[in-house]
Amino acid sequence: MDRPTLFDFHGVSMIKQFTDSWEEVQNFKARPDDIVIVSYPKSGTTWTCYLMDLLFFGKTCPERLLSIPLQERVPFLEISRTSPTPEYLQKGTDLLDQLTTTPRLIKTHLPVQFLPKSFWEQNSTIIYVARNAKDTAVSYYHFCRMNYCMPEPADWSTFLQNYKEGKVSYGSWYDHVSGWWEMKRSYSKLHYMFYEDLSEDTGREMDQLCSFLGLSLSAEEKENILTRVKFDNMKTNKMTNFSTIHHMDQTVSPFMRKGKVGDWKNLFTVSQNEKFDEDCKQKLKNPTLQFRYDA
Ligand code: A3P
């Protein structure tokens, strides 16, 4: 399969798969009760989507957990039909139009300036999940190796350089996490979460999410969800581990790879780490936005 190439899309590096439906995406009709789950790729999107799906539908629609892959329960807004494999025969916008459950849970990786305006006009709820730049880079590198719909990552050191320069799909990690962080100040229906916090105490983060969403769950329901969203359980669950998607070669690297904070230490050299820290200091300017790089 031919790998796609990156191009400049209104100042952000993108691939066709995520821009081919641009008109439908920009004209998407949001609803006030829509919930958008936003992240830079490889930041714990799938984890958050599953958690949200369980919070809203785990009790009322348990059958959907067994028969519908997560990527259909929480459609990917901007994915277009250009994917050459049959799993994504439907555009994200079409899948969303067909959803019968409420609220609609919508996944996107769009940077803040690209979110369709209708979500702001309708005052839809937004959940943003961010992950530290180094673990995200490592996870993204392995993802590009195994996913033939992503640009060829080349070797690690080339990939890391491209990542630092924003020459990967969805552009600069720095712009993404900072752009959404800034938006939090003016848009009250945005809840900003961190992968590292989820990893440290999923129950605490789930409680905060419930309080933000106005949900109240029994202790038993919470316990049940916490078990389901554990890394090992999601890894063996065919509905959450992306094993139904054939353009991902999980023998190259599994989608549910390690699920750890601090795995970057296994790939970054000392010199790569020093240069990365310097670069990060220049690019991540807002002192209120802090990331943790160790478990
Ligand atoms: P690693 O490659 O570091 O293992 P996304 O869903 O945004 O593509 O993010 C994928 C990353 O989240 C992968 O990271 C994956 O293993 C991790 N992940 C997914 N589910 C997880 C869970 N339940 N607990 C911890 N990490 C999880």
Side-chain angles (χ1 to χ4, degrees):
M1 190 185 294
D2 282 345
R3 296 278 197 147
T5 45
L6 289 166
F7 61 95
D8 180 88
F9 187 74
H10 305 291
V12 179
S13 290
M14 292 292 275
I15 53 174
K16 269 167 68 65
Q17 200 185 356
F18 305 128
T19 60
D20 267 4
S21 308
W22 205 242
E23 224 179 288
E24 289 93 322
V25 170
Q26 287 305 293
N27 294 326
F28 185 74
K29 286 198 171 37
R31 299 179 194 153
D33 57 1
D34 279 342
I35 304 184
V36 195
I37 299 154
V38 192
S39 61
Y40 187 81
K42 311 319 292 171
S43 304
T45 329
T46 314
W47 195 4
T48 309
C49 287
Y50 190 40
L51 181 55
M52 290 289 290
D53 188 60
L54 289 165
L55 285 175
F56 281 96
F57 304 110
K59 208 171 118 196
T60 49
C61 314
E63 65 289 349
R64 83 189 231 141
L65 303 179
L66 302 172
S67 56
I68 311 176
L70 186 62
Q71 60 272 18
E72 287 172 35
R73 305 200 300 256
V74 185
F76 189 177
L77 176 69
E78 64 269 24
I79 200 138
S80 72
R81 244 173 154 151
T82 44
S83 160
T85 50
E87 300 83 26
Y88 277 126
L89 270 180
Q90 285 194 296
K91 292 178 189 170
T93 46
D94 287 349
L95 265 180
L96 281 161
D97 286 341
Q98 290 159 24
L99 274 190
T100 51
T101 40
T102 310
R104 297 188 297 186
L105 302 177
I106 305 169
K107 162 184 159 176
T108 181
H109 289 313
L110 293 176
V112 68
Q113 70 275 24
F114 286 175
L115 192 77
K117 63 177 184 322
S118 160
F119 287 112
W120 308 116
E121 288 165 356
Q122 294 296 322
N123 205 24
S124 307
T125 298
I126 300 176
I127 309 295
Y128 187 85
V129 58
R131 186 182 194 183
N132 80 59
K134 295 177 194 174
D135 282 327
T136 302
V138 172
S139 184
Y140 210 169
Y141 169 63
H142 289 296
F143 183 66
C144 289
R145 290 174 51 234
M146 61 83 84
N147 183 348
Y148 298 125
C149 286
M150 296 305 287
E152 177 64 57
D155 59 282
W156 162 242
S157 110
T158 309
F159 179 85
L160 185 62
Q161 190 55 38
N162 287 335
Y163 174 86
K164 277 159 65 174
E165 294 172 18
K167 291 183 192 154
V168 289
S169 193
Y170 291 101
S172 155
W173 174 90
Y174 301 97
D175 293 347
H176 208 287
V177 296
S178 323
W180 281 100
W181 181 255
E182 295 295 330
M183 184 51 79
K184 197 171 80 83
R185 290 206 292 203
S186 55
Y187 191 76
S188 63
K189 287 185 80 178
L190 167 56
H191 181 70
Y192 200 106
M193 301 165 63
F194 294 91
Y195 179 101
E196 294 73 26
D197 292 342
L198 262 177
S199 177
E200 183 180 75
D201 190 339
T202 315
R204 179 193 63 207
E205 294 306 304
M206 186 171 77
D207 285 344
Q208 285 180 9
L209 203 47
C210 285
S211 121
F212 173 74
L213 295 165
L215 296 175
S216 131
L217 274 76
S218 69
E220 195 191 339
E221 281 159 3
K222 280 187 190 164
E223 216 36 61
N224 185 293
I225 293 177
L226 284 178
T227 304
R228 286 182 189 268
V229 301
K230 279 202 170 99
F231 179 80
D232 290 341
N233 292 337
M234 283 184 66
K235 190 178 170 77
T236 50
N237 179 347
K238 283 201 180 86
M239 296 297 123
T240 59
N241 66 11
F242 283 61
S243 56
T244 52
I245 294 186
H246 296 110
H247 60 250
M248 294 184 183
D249 186 346
Q250 307 233 10
T251 62
V252 172
S253 176
F255 180 86
M256 301 291 299
R257 198 180 57 90
K258 287 194 181 172
K260 295 256 182 284
V261 177
D263 180 49
W264 61 269
K265 291 173 195 166
N266 293 314
L267 204 54
F268 275 70
T269 63
V270 172
S271 148
Q272 282 170 344
N273 189 37
E274 283 169 3
K275 287 189 187 129
F276 196 92
D277 284 343
E278 250 169 58
D279 193 56
C280 196
K281 242 188 249 161
Q282 306 294 321
K283 291 179 180 158
L284 201 60
K285 287 258 160 60
N286 191 332
T288 63
L289 179 56
Q290 297 285 339
F291 286 87
R292 289 193 283 151
Y293 289 87
D294 295 291

